[in-house]
Amino acid sequence: MAEMSYLEAGALALREAMRADPRVWALGEDLGRGGVFGQYKGLQAEFGPERIVDTPISEAAIMAVATGAAMLGTRPVVEMRFADFALCAIDELVNQAAKARYMFGGQTRVPLVVREPTGRWRSSAAQHSQSLEAWYVHVPGLVVLAPATPADNRALLRAAIACDDPVVHFEHKNLWPLVGEVPDEPEPAPIGKARRVREGADLTLVTWSATVHEAVRAAELLAREGIGTDLFDLRSLWPWDREAVLASAARTGRLLVAHEAVQVGGFGAEIAATVAEELGVPVARIGAPRLPVPYSPPLEAELEVDAERIARAARRLLDRPVRRRAVSA
Amino acid sequence: MSAGFQRNLDVERVKALLRTMVAIRAFEEEALAAQKEGLVKGAIHPSIGQEAVAAGVCGELRRDDVLLSTHRGHGHTLAKGADPFAMMAELMGRAPGTSQGKGGSMHIADFSVGMLGANGVVAANIGIAAGAAHAIKLLGGDRIVCCIFGDGAVNRGPFLEGLNWAAVYRLPVLFVCEDNGYAATTRTRELTAGPGPLARARALGIEGEVVDGNDVLAVSEATRALVAAVRSGAGPRFLHCLTYRLAGHTGADAGTYRPAEEVEARWKRCPIARARALLEAAGVAAAELDALEAGARGEIARVAAAARAAPWPDPALAWTDVQDLGAAVRAEG
Ligand SMILES: Cc1ncc(C[n+]2csc(CCOP(=O)(O)OP(=O)(O)O)c2C)c(N)n1
Ligand SMILES: [Mg+2]
C-alpha cells in the first residue's frame, strides 16, 4: 500500500504495463517533457523516445496510427491531451478502431487505450472542459472508463491496457492532485464493476469521475437529516454494473444519477431508464444544463453539479410518492 | 524507346500481370452482373480500367507486406493474393466470405495476405497505414506498408497528417495515389489547388514518381524501384498513377456527368488491351494470350458460381466479434 496522487497512479499503471510487456507504447503531444499535466514525467527517460513517442499536433494521425499499430500486434496508449481534442480524431476512433474487429469478421483486434483528460478545470471554458463520455458509450466496440480515485485510476488503466479491444479512459483534470491509498497489486478485473462508496437504505445514488466526491459530501448532508444513501462509483460506464445498481435500487426503491456532463442525452438517462424499466421505481437525474461551459467563475457555477444540488435532487426524489408497485427489500 | 523495350520485354512478367488484370476485370464484371440480379446487395465501386495499378503495384509486394486500400479495393485485394471465392462470397453477404458477410465490398479485407482492409471513409486508410508502418518499425523486420488512395483523398486532412507522420518517423510506407480523374461525379482537378499530389508529397520531403497508370509494366517498374528504397530504410515514397475509371463510380452510376466521347477515347487506352498488344508485339501468339485470358476468366466464373451457391451466415453471427467486455446480449424471445 502506498499513498500517491491520481496523476501518479496513472503514471504508475503505464510504467508497470510497459515494464511487463514490450509491445506497450504511448504516443501523444509533448510526452517527452512529461505531458501537459506531468502525467508522463520520467517515462521517456526510462523507456526511450521509441516507446514514449512525441508526436506532432495531429490528433487524427495519432489515433489512426494507434489503430494501425494495434492491428499489427502492438498495444498503443494514446494521449489526447484534452477530451475536447479527441473530437479531431473521431473518425479514427469511431469508424476505424471501434469497427475493425467486427467489420473484418474477427480477422483483427484493436487493443488500444485512449486517455482523455476530461471535465471542468481552472476556468478552461467551452473548448477545454467538456465531459463527453456518453458519446463513446453509444458506440458498439468501445469500453469506457471514468475512475474517481488514485487506486481506480491505476487499476482501471492497467486493465484498459490489458484489454484486447479499444478503451476510452477518462481522467478528470480536477482529480490529478487527489491523494489516496493505492494497493501494491491492482484490483484484478475491475472493468464493469461499480465500487460501493457508502451503504444506505433510502436511496441509491450512482455517479462517476469527479462527481463521486461531491456525492460523498451530499450523502453526508443527507445523513444529518436521517437519509441513508447507497452510493456507487460506477467507474466503468461500458460495461456498467447493472447488477449492483439494480440490486441496490430494488432495496432502496429510489434511484438518483448525478454527473458533470450535460444532463440531456447524458449517460445518467440510460441508467435511469434501465432502472425504471426493470424495477418501476422512481428515478431522477441531475447533470449540467445544456450550456457550453462558460469562462467566468460565477457563470461556470451555474453548471455545477455539487453536493448541495445533489442533496436537493435527492430530497425531491424522496418526497415523490412511489406511484407504481411497491418493491420488496 | 518502345521498340527497344519490346525487344528486352520480360514476357513472363507481363503475362503474369496480364493474367492478374484479366482476373480483376472478370471479377468485377461478375460482381456487377450479380448486383443486377440482386445478389450483391450493397454498393460496389468497380475499378474497370484501373487494373494496371492494382496488378503493377501489388505485384511488387511480398505476401507479408501490408496493404491498405479504398472503397474501390477489389483489384488491390485480388492482386495481393486474396482468395477470389471468399471475396465474391463476401460481396454476396455469404458465410464463407472474407469477413463472414459482416463487411461487404467496402470493407473487403484478408489479413492472411496482409490486406488490412478497404475503407469506407476516403483517406482514412492513410493514417492507419502510417500506424502499421510505425508498428513494423517498433517490431523490427523488413516488411513494408503500401497505402493506395484515390485522387479525392489528397484534399482530406489525413493526407497531410499521415504523410507528415510517415516522413517524420522515416516509416516504411509506399503511398500510391490512384488518380482516375474523378472523385464521384467531380473532376478532381477542378477542386484541387496546386500542381498535384506528388508536389504535395515532395513539400513534405517525400520523393516519388508520376507514371502512366494504364501501362502495367511502367507501374510495375516504378513500384519496384520505390519499394526497394522503402524496404532499404529510406523512409516513405510516393507513386502517382494516372489512370481512368471506365465504369461508373458505383455499379449504379451511369456516369452522365462526363461526355461519352471522353469515355470512348479512354477505352482505347484500356490497360488490358495495351498489355496484350505489348506481348503480341514481342511475338507471343494471339492464341496463347486467348488461352491465358480464358483461363483467368474461367477461374473467376467458377468462383462466382460457387459464391452464388454459398450459404448465408447464421444470424447469431451478428452478435459476435463486437467486444469482449460489455458485448451485447441477445434478447430472449
Ligand atoms: C470522408 C468521406 N467523404 C465522402 C465519402 C463519399 N465518397 C465515397 S467515394 C468518393 C469519391 C472518392 O474519390 P477518390 O478518392 O478519387 O476515389 P475514387 O472513387 O475515384 O476511386 C466519395 C466522395 C466518403 N466515403 N468518405
Ligand atoms: Mg478518383
Side-chain angles (χ1 to χ4, degrees):
Chain A
M1 198 69 96
E3 286 234 313
M4 70 182 73
S5 69
Y6 184 88
L7 180 144
E8 289 162 343
L12 172 66
L14 182 55
R15 186 181 305 114
E16 288 174 328
M18 290 184 70
R19 283 180 182 167
D21 185 347
R23 297 169 305 168
V24 178
W25 59 296
L27 65 166
E29 299 150 16
D30 302 304
L31 299 196
R33 269 77 61 205
V36 266
F37 300 103
Q39 71 275 50
Y40 294 85
K41 207 172 257 162
L43 293 179
Q44 202 179 57
E46 177 172 352
F47 298 105
E50 305 261 289
R51 290 182 70 200
I52 297 288
V53 178
D54 275 319
T55 70
I57 306 166
S58 299
E59 285 76 13
I62 294 169
M63 195 76 82
V65 161
T67 303
M71 282 161 54
L72 256 67
T74 72
R75 306 185 78 87
V77 176
V78 165
E79 176 56 53
M80 277 285 123
R81 196 176 186 117
F82 281 77
D84 313 73
F85 304 154
L87 304 191
C88 300
I90 275 295
D91 171 63
E92 289 70 18
L93 181 62
V94 174
N95 284 329
Q96 311 296 333
K99 300 296 190 294
R101 178 178 172 186
Y102 190 85
M103 75 185 177
F104 298 142
Q107 294 186 72
T108 190
R109 292 299 193 87
V110 186
L112 67 80
V113 179
V114 190
R115 294 178 77 179
E116 299 199 12
T118 187
R120 292 198 284 280
W121 175 74
R122 294 191 190 167
S123 284
S124 298
Q127 297 172 338
H128 292 71
S129 301
Q130 295 172 89
S131 295
L132 297 174
E133 64 272 14
W135 292 21
Y136 300 92
V137 177
H138 195 70
V139 178
L142 298 180
V143 168
V144 185
L145 308 175
T149 66
D152 281 349
N153 199 20
R154 193 280 211 96
L156 287 168
L157 188 52
R158 279 299 298 275
I161 296 169
C163 180
D164 287 331
D165 296 310
V167 179
V168 185
H169 183 81
F170 286 100
E171 293 170 288
H172 201 289
K173 302 190 283 289
N174 266 339
L175 297 180
W176 290 130
L178 179 77
V179 172
E181 294 282 342
V182 173
D184 295 335
E185 285 303 315
E187 176 189 341
I191 294 177
K193 280 194 222 121
R195 181 175 65 93
R196 192 183 211 167
V197 182
R198 181 182 175 118
E199 288 186 35
D202 299 312
L203 88 152
T204 301
L205 175 54
V206 175
T207 182
W208 53 88
S209 193
T211 310
V212 167
H213 304 285
E214 293 300 320
V216 167
R217 287 212 302 123
E220 282 160 10
L221 294 175
L222 293 166
R224 280 184 228 150
E225 301 160 28
I227 299 170
T229 304
D230 216 22
L231 174 59
F232 288 87
D233 171 3
L234 209 54
R235 309 193 299 176
S236 169
L237 305 192
W238 197 270
W240 67 281
D241 198 340
R242 285 167 56 104
E243 246 173 63
V245 171
L246 287 169
S248 169
R251 267 193 314 275
T252 64
R254 297 268 192 306
L255 171 83
L256 174 64
V257 191
H259 56 63
E260 179 176 326
V262 166
Q263 182 173 313
V264 175
F267 192 57
E270 174 66 25
I271 298 170
T274 302
V275 168
E277 282 172 346
E278 298 286 327
L279 302 174
V281 304
V283 298
R285 302 168 283 158
I286 177 165
R290 195 170 175 280
L291 298 171
V293 178
Y295 170 74
S296 171
L299 305 182
E300 194 184 22
E302 288 290 297
L303 280 66
E304 218 58 68
V305 178
D306 58 13
E308 287 70 25
R309 282 190 63 204
I310 296 171
R312 237 180 294 144
R315 289 186 206 104
R316 268 201 309 275
L317 178 65
L318 285 162
D319 283 347
R320 209 193 304 166
V322 180
R323 269 188 237 99
R324 293 204 214 151
R325 62 193 141 96
V327 174
S328 56
Chain B
M1 152 98 202
S2 70
F5 213 35
Q6 281 162 29
R7 259 198 311 279
N8 302 325
L9 190 71
D10 183 342
V11 166
E12 289 313 311
R13 181 176 175 191
V14 181
K15 277 203 276 189
L17 292 167
L18 175 64
R19 194 175 203 291
T20 304
M21 291 196 292
V22 171
I24 295 169
R25 176 76 54 94
F27 182 92
E28 296 197 314
E29 285 171 357
E30 289 281 0
L32 287 166
Q35 188 181 47
K36 286 217 171 63
E37 291 172 50
L39 290 168
V40 171
K41 303 287 180 190
I44 50 175
H45 298 81
S47 65
I48 290 173
Q50 305 177 199
E51 294 90 346
V53 176
V57 169
C58 298
E60 294 302 315
L61 302 175
R62 293 195 324 225
R63 189 185 170 95
D64 66 341
D65 286 334
V66 170
L67 174 69
L68 287 115
S69 172
T70 69
H71 54 284
R72 204 175 302 287
H74 306 146
H76 312 147
T77 311
L78 285 164
K80 187 69 171 68
D83 172 12
F85 165 70
M87 287 177 63
M88 191 64 83
E90 185 65 27
L91 266 55
M92 295 185 188
R94 306 304 172 92
T98 43
S99 301
Q100 304 170 301
K102 281 179 164 168
S105 164
M106 252 187 289
H107 308 307
I108 205 94
D110 186 347
F111 281 64
S112 70
V113 297
M115 200 292 175
L116 268 54
N119 210 303
V121 179
V122 168
N125 59 343
I126 300 176
I128 298 173
H134 207 125
I136 288 170
K137 188 178 167 216
L138 290 172
L139 298 167
D142 70 343
R143 288 190 290 169
I144 71 161
V145 177
C146 175
C147 179
I148 307 180
F149 46 83
D151 41 296
V154 307
N155 289 325
R156 280 206 68 228
F159 178 82
L160 174 68
E161 292 197 16
L163 265 65
N164 180 63
W165 191 290
V168 162
Y169 300 104
R170 267 181 94 86
L171 299 179
V173 196
L174 174 63
F175 294 109
V176 177
C177 180
E178 183 173 29
D179 183 352
N180 58 13
Y182 285 84
T185 65
T186 300
R187 222 184 290 267
T188 312
R189 283 198 70 90
E190 290 171 9
L191 295 177
T192 305
L198 183 55
R200 291 188 183 186
R202 286 200 170 124
L204 300 170
I206 299 176
E207 274 312 316
E209 262 190 70
V210 185
V211 287
D212 176 350
N214 281 25
D215 178 344
V216 73
L217 194 53
V219 175
S220 180
E221 287 291 344
T223 305
R224 187 167 287 188
L226 295 171
V227 161
V230 171
R231 208 181 294 286
S232 75
R237 290 290 186 270
F238 197 96
L239 181 63
H240 181 192
C241 300
L242 296 166
T243 181
Y244 190 83
R245 159 164 66 68
L246 292 171
H249 171 58
T250 64
D253 170 28
T256 50
Y257 44 85
R258 49 189 198 181
E261 311 83 68
E262 179 184 308
V263 183
E264 259 163 52
R266 292 296 190 143
W267 267 107
K268 300 209 174 73
R269 285 151 66 180
C270 165
I272 292 177
R274 282 174 64 182
R276 230 193 114 108
L278 201 60
L279 287 165
E280 284 180 10
V284 182
E288 185 189 341
L289 294 173
D290 288 346
L292 180 153
E293 293 201 20
R297 286 189 166 277
E299 189 199 326
I300 296 297
R302 278 191 296 281
V303 153
R308 285 161 183 256
W312 292 102
D314 181 337
L317 266 180
W319 299 80
T320 63
D321 275 319
V322 180
Q323 58 190 117
D324 292 342
L325 300 169
V329 183
R330 189 174 194 147
E332 294 303 322

